[in-house]
Amino acid sequence: RMEQALAADQDHALILDDAAGPADLDYFTQFAELVTEGLVTAGYPRCTGEVVATNPAWRVTLREWKATFGAWLGAPTPEAILRASIFFDMRPIAGDTRLYAELADLVRASAPRSPRFLAHLAAAAGAGAAGRTSMQRVGGTLRGGGAL
């Protein structure tokens, strides 16, 4: 995320290629732990809400991410608004950035067609609960067709 604050914690996830197999899933599980612990060592505490790639919910395939965003946009519960506001600030830092681009394109196309979601997001932003909504690109590579 692009968040900059004195008390920033970790918020990160992985977008895995839909063709990821069991060996890839094992690799990305270990990779997520390595990244998370490295950030702890660097002074960024783990997210108390577990919005980190070590949480299996945030280490899923592109198809699963599309379904997750679809659910958030289709049913704007307070939890969905919170999660979406966190992930609207996403950007790739390594891996196959086409995975990110495909997901970001879908979200950008879908969100304007979700007026109920947008109304709830605007209300949350007005209350100070939602984050910035930038989606920027940075390149890199990871084994097994993933994006961080």
Side-chain angles (χ1 to χ4, degrees), residues 12-16 29 32 49-69 72 79 83 87 103:
H12 51 81
L14 292 170
I15 304 170
L16 306 179
T29 298
E50 284 299 307
V51 182
V52 289
T54 55
N55 180 340
W58 311 129
R59 187 181 64 250
V60 297
T61 65
L62 178 60
R63 180 176 33 255
E64 291 169 291
W65 275 115
K66 288 177 179 180
T68 297
F69 271 99
W72 289 341
E79 182 73 12
R83 297 298 184 203
F87 285 101
L103 180 59

Side-chain angles (χ1 to χ4, degrees), residues 111-143:
R113 295 190 309 259
S114 304
R116 201 172 108 211
F117 175 84
L118 292 175
H120 286 279
L121 183 63
R132 269 191 345 266
T133 59
S134 65
M135 292 184 162
Q136 298 180 351
R137 297 188 54 157
V138 176
T141 60
L142 288 176
R143 174 183 166 258

Side-chain angles (χ1 to χ4, degrees), residues 18-61:
D18 290 333
D24 298 317
L25 299 178
D26 289 342
Y27 168 83
F28 284 114
T29 298
Q30 293 173 26
F31 177 77
E33 193 58 49
L34 179 71
V35 168
T36 301
E37 289 308 313
L39 288 169
V40 167
T41 300
Y44 291 94
R46 291 179 74 107
C47 174
T48 58
E50 284 299 307
V51 182
V52 289
T54 55
N55 180 340
W58 311 129
R59 187 181 64 250
V60 297
T61 65

